Amino acid sequence: MEAEHGLVHRRWWTPYLFLLPGLGMVLTFSLWPFVNTIILSMTDAQILRGGTFTGLDNYVRALDDPAFWTALFNSVLYTAVVVPAVVLLPLALAVLVERKVPGIGFFRSAFYTPVIASAVVVGLMWQWLLRSDGLINTVLGRLQLISEPLPFLTDSTLLLFSAMIVTVWKGLGYYMVFYLAALGNVPRSLHEAAAIDGAGAVRRFFHVTIPSVKPMMLLVGTLSAISALRVFTEIYILGGESGGPGGDSRTLPFLIREVGLGFAGETGYAAAISILLFLLTLVFSLLGHRLSKGDER
């Protein structure tokens, strides 16, 4: 009886023992760095010098910094263009490759290949395609559609949109897999009933497929928005260390790296911009969560 009582007595805390390693990892590598970044953002710390407490001065400085507003505008523009494309194009691709026809596995693999490729390799490939003597300008010139090469990599606006194309192209296969899983759960009887009622392929797509995969579309939109706000590699590879001509194509992660890098790097100011980026990401995440809740109702 005492042995049974002891066994029951031990059971209430035994599960917590299994949680402790994971909890320790979260506290050490996620929560503490986040708290430390908040503290650092309220100092004038530099790379080689400890800082003193300055309160909200770094945040006030960011709001008065034209470079911050340019980077913020670029990040929001990047998200506003990339997210709709990433939500819709992979869905269309998934609908095309969902059909079970001979050889469809090859196309699924081909569309997924960019996902497993390194972002640096993808960036270098697109740099070769988009430069003034690259394949795209050469083809457009041979077709006599342009009289001189388009400055994809030397114009700040075109550079930003070129990076968006790279992001969308690389994400197509990744989010296509999400939609393939969602499409597999759509009851075939719904399509058959709609077809009996005379609905064509287009009407079935908008009235059966879209409502069925809407939760997945919201999830893809949220994930792609978070990813777009953190974009760095594409702009770095295409535009170089300065973030394009005059640094006008810099996004917030690019600005954080630029401000905090080097022996004179202002880590306190960079931390403040990081917190502002976190708040912006949190807004998009909460918006996606709210839309998901509204859809469930």
Side-chain angles (χ1 to χ4, degrees):
M1 200 61 187
E2 290 181 359
E4 290 181 1
H5 178 72
L7 184 61
V8 172
H9 182 68
R10 285 196 298 271
R11 281 177 181 169
W12 73 267
W13 52 264
T14 301
Y16 295 99
L17 285 179
F18 291 96
L19 294 176
L20 282 179
L23 182 62
M25 296 280 285
V26 170
L27 291 175
T28 304
F29 297 107
S30 295
L31 187 59
W32 168 241
F34 178 69
V35 173
N36 190 47
T37 302
I38 294 176
I39 298 172
L40 189 64
S41 70
M42 298 182 183
T43 69
D44 58 354
Q46 295 184 353
I47 290 289
L48 300 178
R49 180 176 64 82
T52 56
F53 183 75
T54 58
L56 299 177
D57 286 358
N58 284 326
Y59 294 95
V60 175
R61 175 186 170 186
L63 298 179
D64 290 334
D65 187 356
F68 170 78
W69 287 108
T70 301
L72 176 62
F73 174 79
N74 289 338
S75 290
V76 174
L77 177 64
Y78 207 97
T79 304
V81 174
V82 165
V83 171
V86 168
V87 169
L88 297 177
L89 292 179
L91 175 59
L93 203 60
V95 171
L96 290 176
V97 301
E98 185 199 15
R99 301 176 182 179
K100 297 180 180 177
V101 296
I104 197 65
F106 168 77
F107 291 98
R108 290 181 179 179
S109 302
F111 291 136
Y112 193 76
T113 300
V115 179
I116 60 176
S118 164
V120 176
V121 173
V122 170
L124 290 174
M125 185 190 74
W126 277 93
Q127 187 185 55
W128 175 74
L129 291 172
L130 295 171
R131 65 190 187 189
S132 58
D133 60 343
L135 180 64
I136 294 178
N137 271 317
T138 301
V139 171
L140 292 177
R142 294 285 176 83
L143 295 175
Q144 297 184 342
L145 296 176
I146 57 175
S147 57
E148 57 184 21
L150 294 175
F152 290 113
L153 305 179
T154 54
D155 180 86
S156 58
T157 304
L158 283 179
L159 173 62
L160 199 61
F161 280 95
S162 299
M164 294 175 188
I165 292 173
V166 176
T167 299
V168 172
W169 180 79
K170 196 174 187 313
L172 280 178
Y174 181 71
Y175 294 112
M176 178 193 74
V177 174
F178 282 52
Y179 284 125
L180 282 175
L183 289 173
N185 292 326
V186 179
R188 186 170 297 277
S189 58
L190 291 178
H191 283 281
E192 293 173 351
I196 293 173
D197 289 341
V202 175
R203 287 188 63 188
R204 291 202 303 274
F205 176 77
F206 284 103
H207 295 284
V208 177
T209 303
I210 291 289
S212 300
V213 301
K214 192 176 179 181
M216 184 59 74
M217 295 175 71
L218 292 172
L219 175 63
V220 170
T222 303
L223 294 177
S224 59
I226 295 172
S227 179
L229 288 171
R230 297 185 305 170
V231 67
F232 173 81
T233 306
E234 289 89 337
I235 295 176
Y236 184 84
I237 296 296
L238 295 180
E241 294 184 3
S242 62
D248 291 337
S249 301
R250 286 178 299 199
T251 55
L252 285 175
F254 208 100
L255 182 62
I256 293 168
R257 174 254 183 196
E258 188 176 270
V259 170
L261 193 66
F263 291 113
E266 299 175 280
T267 51
Y269 185 43
I273 301 176
S274 300
I275 296 301
L276 293 174
L277 175 60
F278 164 75
L279 294 176
L280 182 63
T281 306
L282 185 63
V283 169
F284 276 91
S285 301
L286 293 177
L287 180 62
H289 180 70
R290 186 175 181 82
L291 290 174
S292 300
K293 288 295 183 183
D295 186 61
E296 289 176 0
R297 292 171 190 162

